[in-house]
Amino acid sequence: MKITPGGVVAAEWTKFSSLRSTWITTGISVLLLIAFGMIASASFSGDTMTSVDLALSGSILAALSVGVLGALLGASEYTTGMIRATLATVPRRSPVLWSKSLVAGAAAFVTMTIGAFAAFALGSAVLNEKVGGLGLGDDGVLRALLGAGLYLGLVAVLGVALGMLVRSSAGAIAILTGALLVVPVLAPLLPDAISDAVTPYLPGNAGSAVMALAPAEGTLSPWAGLAVFAGYVAVTLAAAAYRLKKTDA
Amino acid sequence: MIQVREVTKRYGAKTVVDRLSFTAKPGQVTGFLGPNGAGKSTTMRMIVGLDAPNSGDILVNGKPYVSAKAPLREIGVLIEAKAVHPGRTAVSHLLALARTHGIPRSRVDQVLDMVGLSTVAHKRVGAFSLGMGQRLGIAAALLGDPAVVMLDEPVNGLDPEGVLWVRNLLTGLAAEGRTVMLSSHLMSEVSLIADHLVIVGRGRLLADTTVADFVTAEGVRVVTPAPDELRTVIAGPGITVTSTGAEELLVAGASAREIGLAAATRGIPLFELTPQNSSLEEAFMDLTRDAVEYEASR
Ligand SMILES: Nc1ncnc2c1ncn2[C@@H]1O[C@H](COP(=O)(O)OP(=O)(O)OP(=O)(O)O)[C@@H](O)[C@H]1O
Ligand SMILES: [Mg+2]
């Protein structure tokens, strides 16, 4: 009997899966992804969006939903006082953060990848006839769908890191929403030169680049974008690990 | 064994634990006593590494707790009964703690049975009463079959049957050779369980003693019109006499009978001769009077 990395991961999975809210929020995230994908696919008739873009149009809401799930998972340790039981059990502390991130990230990746493929399949089935249909074999389609799963998995990890960092559900959710939704809206208010330079690197924009079939004007290439987003996640995780290690629980 | 050595903890400018040293030994129940805000919970949090001391060090079974390979095997703690996510069932809560150490599910069922929560094992913890939460916390402390069991106010919220159960549980654990430490502000409660007393006030050590020694430190109150004469009569080795008023003495180290007989042989009148079998509670209050921080105005 001793602490093992696998044991801590198993423990975090137990915590994650034993909350009803986990299942509800995950279910809602998948539903949002599929429902918005189908609605957009059926109703859009322009030529500015591909069938993959349409299928993944629920990804912004799904990102918020899985991000909130992660944030609640991280912050609830503190809001409920559970953190004291957790850290008295794992006094080295940081394994808790890594394991929680792994569990939330992997769970979101798996469910959101399934959700993305389902949204594409169902969206294609109801696709507006004015939009050209695509198959999984077409250029970039697989990458975009898999990329959606990866991006949303990383968003869940970002949520966990924010929750553990700020230790309050409301605070973590506010920062997450701000980073993903508000900042991209405010960026264009900056002087054009700055705005053009900064916009592609904003978290939401960088992360969603991986879901675009072909990089649009003023966005990063798919994998570069995802790497930038992963960088934001890594920095947040490092800050959370530092605070976890250094401060009283 | 828990060794606390010269530990100081400050929160901002406030020193909450002040160069505190004591040892809780195996096979004994150590009662950790002090008024509200004395620093008991803070000390216990530091013992399991939740809070870091500003100076001093703490060893659990001879090593720093953080370096333990199987922390749950070293020490089981109840820090706060409600340190639990209310949305989880009792089983899931314990299972989450157990899995970190690879402790099997059967042990979870076992501790739930020990604390009498088997029937509500699959109920959400949010619906638990104070006493049930306390029992769940004790179950968590026992999970790893630890060498040290440390409980912060374990009987808080328990019914009389529960209090008795905790008492028997803790004395049983100590009899098995484990180190047991519990905190309380109630002397009456601790004196029934503990062998060893560590009393703190405003973060400082006030007494490190045994229950037996703590009471016999009292004496006999004597009221006499001739206190000085009586003093010389009863003076002797091991006897201390303190003047507590114009006609009052407090004699320690001699019984009321000895004092009465000595006074009679010299014809010294006594108006009062009262053994100060002041309760432990009073002795405790006397000791901590100056250290009480949060006091109701009277
Ligand atoms: N995290 C914290 N930040 C600031 N002050 C704190 C913190 N934790 C405790 N204190 C202060 O430290 C002092 C000691 O608190 P502690 O909880 O250790 O006392 P206690 O002996 O357990 O009291 P009680 O019998 O009421 O449980 C109190 O004055 C409290 O206000
Ligand atoms: Mg306390």
Side-chain angles (χ1 to χ4, degrees):
Chain A
M1 174 177 130
K2 65 176 193 312
I3 290 203
T4 56
V8 182
V9 172
E12 287 303 328
W13 168 252
T14 304
K15 286 186 193 169
F16 180 76
S17 60
S18 60
L19 290 177
R20 198 182 291 167
S21 58
T22 297
W23 299 97
I24 295 173
T25 316
T26 305
I28 288 175
S29 309
V30 175
L31 271 180
L32 284 173
L33 202 54
I34 295 175
F36 274 77
M38 288 179 73
I39 293 167
S41 300
S43 55
F44 184 81
S45 56
D47 57 1
T48 51
M49 289 177 97
T50 66
S51 68
V52 173
D53 295 334
L54 292 170
L56 294 178
S57 54
S59 64
I60 293 175
L61 284 172
L64 278 184
S65 180
V66 294
V68 165
L69 177 64
L72 289 178
L73 192 68
S76 70
E77 286 271 359
Y78 289 91
T79 55
T80 62
M82 176 70 191
I83 191 71
R84 282 185 278 278
T86 300
L87 297 185
T89 307
V90 186
R92 281 186 45 232
R93 297 189 175 194
S94 35
V96 172
L97 178 64
W98 310 141
S99 305
K100 204 182 280 295
S101 303
L102 181 69
V103 164
F109 168 69
V110 170
T111 51
M112 294 303 116
T113 303
I114 294 169
F117 277 90
F120 180 66
L122 295 170
S124 298
V126 297
L127 192 64
N128 193 298
E129 64 255 15
K130 300 219 177 72
V131 180
L134 291 165
L136 285 178
D138 286 315
D139 255 5
V141 173
L142 266 181
R143 188 259 302 144
L145 296 178
L146 209 60
L150 284 171
Y151 168 60
L152 294 172
L154 283 172
V155 172
V157 177
L158 181 65
V160 170
L162 284 172
M164 295 287 278
L165 180 62
V166 303
R167 304 183 173 184
S168 117
S169 315
I173 292 169
I175 296 175
L176 184 89
T177 321
L180 295 184
L181 285 188
V182 181
V183 172
V185 177
L186 295 183
L189 302 179
L190 292 167
D192 279 353
I194 303 176
S195 169
D196 290 350
V198 165
T199 302
Y201 294 95
L202 298 176
N205 297 346
S208 16
V210 78
M211 298 184 284
L213 218 43
E217 186 78 20
T219 62
L220 298 174
S221 72
W223 296 116
L226 195 69
V228 167
F229 187 74
Y232 284 112
V233 177
V235 169
T236 315
L237 269 178
Y242 181 82
R243 181 153 194 224
L244 181 64
K245 202 81 184 166
K246 291 291 172 193
T247 57
D248 291 342
Chain B
M1 179 140 77
I2 302 172
Q3 290 156 286
V4 173
R5 298 193 299 213
E6 290 284 303
V7 166
T8 296
K9 176 70 184 178
R10 283 184 291 271
Y11 289 116
K14 188 172 180 185
T15 302
V16 171
V17 175
D18 196 356
R19 287 183 293 129
L20 181 65
S21 298
F22 67 86
T23 300
K25 296 196 190 72
Q28 286 192 339
V29 176
T30 297
F32 193 30
L33 281 153
N36 288 128
K40 303 180 297 293
S41 300
T42 305
T43 303
M44 290 179 144
R45 283 202 304 272
M46 288 193 286
I47 290 170
V48 286
L50 293 175
D51 285 16
N54 292 87
S55 64
D57 59 347
I58 300 174
L59 301 179
V60 175
N61 302 323
K63 40 192 189 294
Y65 185 58
V66 187
S67 68
K69 295 225 158 26
L72 287 184
R73 180 122 202 118
E74 304 291 336
I75 183 168
V77 288
L78 165 71
I79 295 285
E80 237 167 86
K82 285 283 167 175
V84 179
H85 195 301
R88 270 187 206 110
T89 64
V91 165
S92 317
H93 173 69
L94 294 178
L95 207 51
L97 300 177
R99 289 220 160 126
T100 56
H101 283 60
I103 296 171
R105 166 69 196 253
S106 55
R107 177 65 185 166
V108 169
D109 294 333
Q110 208 178 349
V111 292
L112 277 169
D113 195 42
M114 283 170 76
V115 302
L117 289 180
S118 296
T119 52
V120 289
H122 295 282
K123 288 255 178 334
R124 298 222 249 155
V125 177
F128 277 22
S129 69
L130 182 57
M132 288 159 82
Q134 205 76 357
R135 284 166 189 266
L136 180 62
I138 295 173
L142 299 176
L143 207 51
D145 195 16
V148 182
V149 176
M150 181 172 80
L151 311 176
D152 195 358
E153 298 184 32
V155 301
N156 194 7
L158 291 185
D159 51 25
E161 184 267 326
V163 173
L164 190 64
W165 168 72
V166 168
R167 217 179 275 163
N168 292 334
L169 175 78
L170 296 186
T171 42
L173 290 168
E176 290 167 17
R178 295 176 217 260
T179 306
V180 177
M181 177 165 156
L182 80 156
S183 77
S184 174
H185 2 74
L186 293 180
M187 185 73 193
S188 52
E189 162 195 308
V190 169
S191 63
L192 293 170
I193 319 177
D195 314 287
H196 174 211
L197 295 178
V198 174
I199 305 176
V200 289
R202 296 193 188 225
R204 294 214 183 88
L205 185 68
L206 297 179
D208 185 335
T209 179
T210 62
V211 174
D213 286 347
F214 190 62
V215 259
T216 51
E218 287 298 303
V220 181
R221 197 171 93 99
V222 188
V223 182
T224 170
D228 295 331
E229 205 183 330
L230 185 66
R231 248 177 203 274
T232 53
V233 171
I234 57 176
I239 296 174
T240 51
V241 184
T242 34
S243 172
T244 50
E247 297 197 330
E248 276 183 36
L249 296 174
L250 184 71
V251 184
S255 67
R257 184 189 174 84
E258 288 161 355
I259 299 165
L261 285 173
T265 55
R266 294 296 188 87
I268 302 171
L270 298 182
F271 302 152
E272 227 182 274
L273 183 63
T274 327
Q276 295 299 91
N277 40 6
S278 80
S279 65
L280 277 164
E281 206 67 56
E282 284 167 30
F284 173 57
M285 302 249 275
D286 284 343
L287 183 64
T288 56
R289 179 157 299 132
D290 295 334
V292 171
E293 197 167 353
Y294 307 107
E295 192 177 13
S297 57
R298 15 180 156 202

